[in-house]
Amino acid sequence: MIRWYVELGGILRKCTSLLTTAFLLATLLLTGVTPASAATPSSGDPFIAKVLQLTNQYRAANGARPVVWNQAVAGISQQWAEETGRKVNSGTLDMAAIHRPDGGGSLIPRGADWYSEIIAINNSAQLVVDWWMTSPAHRAALLDSRVTDVGIGYAKTTAAGWGAYAVVENFAGYADHRPPAPAPPVSPGPVPQAIRPGDIAAIDPAGSVYVYPSAGGGDVWQRRYLAGGGQGARQADVVDWNSDGRQDLIIVWASGNVSVSYGQADGTLGAAQRIGDGGWGDYDITVTRWSQADRYPTILAKNNLTGDLFWYQNPSGSAIGSRTRIGAGGWSPLSIVALDYDGDGRMDVLAKNPQGLLLLYRSNGAGAFVEESRRSIDWGWDMMNFMTTTTSHLGDGKDGILARSQSGSLYFYPVSPNGINAGLMIGRDGWNTMLIGG
């Protein structure tokens, strides 16, 4: 089965550049044929030597082995660089089709078990490689530890408004070119967790619970089976409910009950334990530490019938406790997530309205909203049919928004103080059938 990934320089309206794009593919490649092309420059070409030097400098600085020049792969790169340059010069370049249909994968020499392709149009070798390092998808390809060989091609461009060079860099990975894997350490590792911070839990239509480990902003296509019995789940959330250092799974059931499955010391999930009896069928929840005084995570619950918003206590890390109404009416049409948007150490609510605007509801840190006009902080979210908060998806301990598009693709939006950053597509299509917990 061939599995491939593409990144078009940004996500939805948050696209920051249309001059480059990345095509990533991981597969066992069965055959390869080197294409016929014009004379292919060697690694001694000054421009190519500079791109190769900078590539390996960045890899060394990030703990990756250097890649070695592969003249056969370079032929593939040079052919497409010339084709890209021709399209730029003739004004016929289509950014949506900047790669060959398979990114050149069928042309990679026989034996590779990994390949990727990145393209840039810029004015110097330095600017080309520096730009690749600013783009998450291009950076991931350039620094990938599985890569062993590289080919580079370039063509000069003459069209006004474009960079001077169209550059194609193709990476390939060969198992017999990699050093043997080091022996595993004998010292005990970290305590295993069923769901680590930044991972995504999801329940499929058959009721199987899976965890999708964070790929640091890349595609989360790998998954691990956790448990069955998820039939009838209506909503899921991932949180350390009892504050023992392990992530737990909270589920709201169609029956109206709420349960928690605690993360176990052996890296599994425990059996579901009921923490809320009936009546939750009309509520949408988000689990957070709403008050700075909260010892355990608590629940913000929106009643879809009355439009009220409630804050439910978690006094002992087990059963749900008493509630306080913190919003009277008007919340029914809103989809909410909770995170510290402005970086003041107090939890806030971001609410998506039917027009796709994100509205900011700041809290005072003591369980109530700040009395102020609600301002819109972003727009275009009507393209999303689901959103939740996740922490440390990029391994940085910071909050972000996990969102699913109407077409079923999954995105992660990092959040910095007073700003939502450009989104990263972390799952292409197929997510509309999954019940997701961040």
Side-chain angles (χ1 to χ4, degrees):
M1 176 181 177
I2 292 178
R3 188 173 183 89
W4 57 274
Y5 311 96
V6 116
E7 197 254 2
L8 297 177
I11 300 299
L12 303 175
R13 59 180 181 76
K14 298 183 184 287
C15 178
T16 58
S17 172
L18 292 178
L19 297 184
T20 64
T21 186
F23 180 102
L24 303 178
L25 174 77
T27 179
L28 295 176
L29 302 174
L30 300 179
T31 60
V33 181
T34 302
S37 68
T40 303
S42 71
S43 59
D45 178 281
F47 185 89
I48 285 180
K50 186 64 174 177
V51 174
L52 180 58
Q53 174 197 0
L54 292 169
T55 295
N56 277 328
Q57 281 182 358
Y58 274 122
R59 286 179 64 85
N62 288 273
R65 296 184 305 273
V67 289
V68 299
W69 180 257
N70 187 314
Q71 191 67 30
V73 176
I76 299 166
S77 305
Q78 184 62 29
Q79 182 193 53
W80 199 246
E82 292 170 4
E83 177 67 11
T84 302
R86 181 188 65 77
K87 291 178 180 179
V88 169
N89 294 336
S90 64
T92 60
L93 179 64
D94 178 4
M95 293 303 297
I98 194 170
H99 290 278
R100 287 164 283 207
D102 67 349
S106 60
L107 305 174
I108 295 292
R110 185 187 302 272
D113 58 17
W114 174 264
Y115 76 85
S116 60
E117 176 179 273
I118 53 179
I119 298 175
I121 305 172
N122 221 315
N123 288 319
S124 70
Q126 185 79 53
L127 290 174
V128 164
V129 182
D130 285 350
W131 193 93
W132 281 334
M133 288 298 292
T134 67
S135 164
H138 299 79
R139 175 188 175 94
L142 193 146
L143 300 180
D144 197 297
S145 62
R146 291 163 289 192
V147 170
T148 60
D149 294 32
V150 68
I152 303 165
Y154 73 99
K156 293 185 178 180
T157 62
T158 58
W162 293 84
Y165 300 94
V167 185
V168 177
E169 189 166 35
N170 287 96
F171 297 103
Y174 293 88
D176 57 352
H177 294 182
R178 300 184 186 110
V186 295
S187 59
V191 175
Q193 292 198 55
I195 309 170
R196 293 189 176 277
D199 291 351
I200 298 166
I203 304 174
D204 71 8
S208 296
V209 182
Y210 294 94
V211 61
Y212 293 77
S214 167
D219 194 288
V220 292
W221 64 274
Q222 292 183 322
R223 70 181 186 180
R224 186 176 75 255
Y225 176 84
L226 284 183
Q231 303 93 330
R234 192 179 66 80
Q235 190 177 353
D237 211 338
V238 175
V239 67
D240 184 3
W241 182 249
N242 60 353
S243 299
D244 67 349
R246 302 185 185 96
Q247 298 287 90
D248 310 313
L249 181 64
I250 305 290
I251 293 180
V252 180
W253 300 88
S255 64
N257 295 326
V258 182
S259 70
V260 59
S261 295
Y262 292 109
Q264 304 297 302
D266 61 358
T268 63
L269 276 182
Q273 300 181 30
R274 187 180 301 180
I275 58 174
D277 292 326
W280 289 85
D282 297 322
Y283 288 84
D284 290 337
I285 72 167
T286 184
V287 187
T288 185
R289 291 182 186 270
W290 180 238
S291 169
Q292 290 177 311
D294 286 340
R295 179 181 177 186
Y296 301 102
T298 52
I299 292 177
L300 297 184
K302 178 192 67 171
N303 187 310
N304 291 311
L305 297 181
T306 66
D308 292 336
L309 185 67
F310 295 95
W311 169 33
Y312 283 82
Q313 301 294 320
N314 174 15
S316 61
S318 53
I320 298 171
S322 61
R323 73 179 189 180
T324 303
R325 187 170 66 176
I326 59 174
W331 289 85
S332 293
L334 304 179
S335 298
I336 66 171
V337 296
L339 50 78
D340 181 10
Y341 175 76
D342 53 10
D344 65 354
R346 302 165 181 168
M347 201 58 62
D348 307 308
V349 166
L350 304 186
K352 181 189 77 170
N353 70 11
Q355 291 73 45
L357 299 178
L358 277 188
L359 307 177
L360 173 63
Y361 291 76
R362 296 193 305 138
S363 85
N364 62 7
F369 291 114
V370 174
E371 293 294 336
E372 61 183 0
S373 299
R374 308 305 171 195
R375 60 186 176 95
S376 171
I377 58 171
D378 210 356
W379 56 274
W381 289 80
D382 52 325
M383 301 179 70
M384 300 296 176
N385 61 21
F386 169 82
M387 52 190 287
T388 189
T389 305
T390 187
T391 301
S392 203
H393 186 71
L394 300 182
D396 55 7
K398 297 179 181 178
D399 288 340
I401 299 174
L402 190 65
R404 182 180 60 206
S405 69
Q406 301 287 355
S407 64
S409 292
L410 197 63
Y411 298 90
F412 174 72
Y413 292 87
V415 175
S416 54
N418 292 302
I420 298 175
N421 300 318
L424 306 171
M425 180 185 286
I426 61 173
R428 178 176 293 277
D429 304 330
W431 287 86
N432 270 334
T433 62
M434 306 296 282
L435 187 67
I436 301 169

